[in-house]
Amino acid sequence: QCSMSRREQYYRDREAGFNNRFGVDTRLTSYNALYDPNMRHFFENSVVQSHLYRSGQIDKAGRVIDLDKNKSKLHIIEKEFRSAERSEEMRQREEEEMRRRVQLKRHQALDKARKEEKLIRIKEDRKIRQEIVLATREAQGLTSLPSPSKKKTKKKTKRSV
């Protein structure tokens, strides 16, 4: 059974030789329904015409726009759209960066104000504590320590590294 029967071989040869080209080696011409006179009635419909106009296949007068002839114009328009989109994205990025910087400055200013306020409160608390300590010492009769406002500060000396 390894070898094929004559009948099977005949059908295989017949199938291998099948050709549906009928001797024609040329391609069919391109078809555009907009130029077909038999389709004219369909394209005269106002709904179809409005769709064709919106999709850019006909102009306002109803004339067919040949995309192959207008390809360069279309390319220029698309290039301008891409350029406009790029510039808009850059503008938005710059605007976002500016917002971020302003917000960062506001946060820094708020942090600085909080630190200054905290420092002032600490100084006031220290001054109040020293006054309380001074008042209690005076009440007890121990006034030998100098008052906090007249306290001498040590000068800082430069250290060699």
Side-chain angles (χ1 to χ4, degrees), residues 90-140:
M90 285 176 54
R91 186 193 63 78
Q92 286 178 347
R93 269 191 247 125
E94 289 173 357
E95 192 174 298
E96 185 64 32
E97 179 66 21
M98 186 65 76
R99 279 194 201 116
R100 190 187 66 77
R101 286 181 187 164
V102 167
Q103 193 172 12
L104 185 64
K105 284 185 180 181
R106 286 180 184 164
H107 284 294
Q108 288 173 346
L110 285 172
D111 287 343
K112 186 177 179 181
R114 279 191 212 113
K115 287 178 183 178
E116 288 176 0
E117 189 177 313
K118 187 176 180 182
L119 187 63
I120 290 171
R121 256 189 276 124
I122 290 171
K123 286 181 179 179
E124 287 176 355
D125 288 348
R126 185 178 295 151
K127 186 177 179 182
I128 291 171
R129 272 190 262 123
Q130 287 175 350
E131 288 176 1
I132 292 172
V133 168
L134 184 64
T136 48
R137 285 187 180 163
E138 286 178 356
Q140 294 176 355

Side-chain angles (χ1 to χ4, degrees), residues 146-152:
S147 66
S149 60
K150 296 179 183 178
K151 201 179 228 183
K152 292 182 181 178

Side-chain angles (χ1 to χ4, degrees), residues 9-86:
Q9 185 63 39
Y10 168 75
Y11 284 128
R12 287 191 187 271
D13 290 343
R14 186 174 171 192
E15 186 177 339
F18 180 75
N19 183 4
N20 65 352
R21 306 280 293 166
F22 302 112
V24 179
D25 289 333
T26 60
R27 302 187 96 202
L28 292 174
T29 58
S30 63
Y31 174 74
N32 189 346
L34 294 171
Y35 292 111
D36 189 348
N38 298 318
M39 296 291 292
R40 181 180 219 114
H41 181 71
F42 172 74
F43 289 117
E44 286 176 353
N45 184 340
S46 62
V47 175
V48 173
Q49 281 194 348
S50 65
H51 170 71
L52 291 173
Y53 177 71
R54 283 193 313 269
S55 65
Q57 296 182 27
I58 62 172
D59 61 4
K60 284 187 179 182
R63 292 183 300 256
V64 177
I65 297 174
D66 189 5
L67 294 178
D68 291 333
K69 289 180 182 176
N70 296 321
K71 222 173 219 176
S72 62
K73 292 178 186 175
L74 187 63
H75 178 70
I76 291 170
I77 292 170
E78 287 174 351
K79 191 174 179 181
E80 288 177 359
F81 274 126
R82 284 192 300 268
S83 174
E85 286 175 357
R86 246 184 277 121

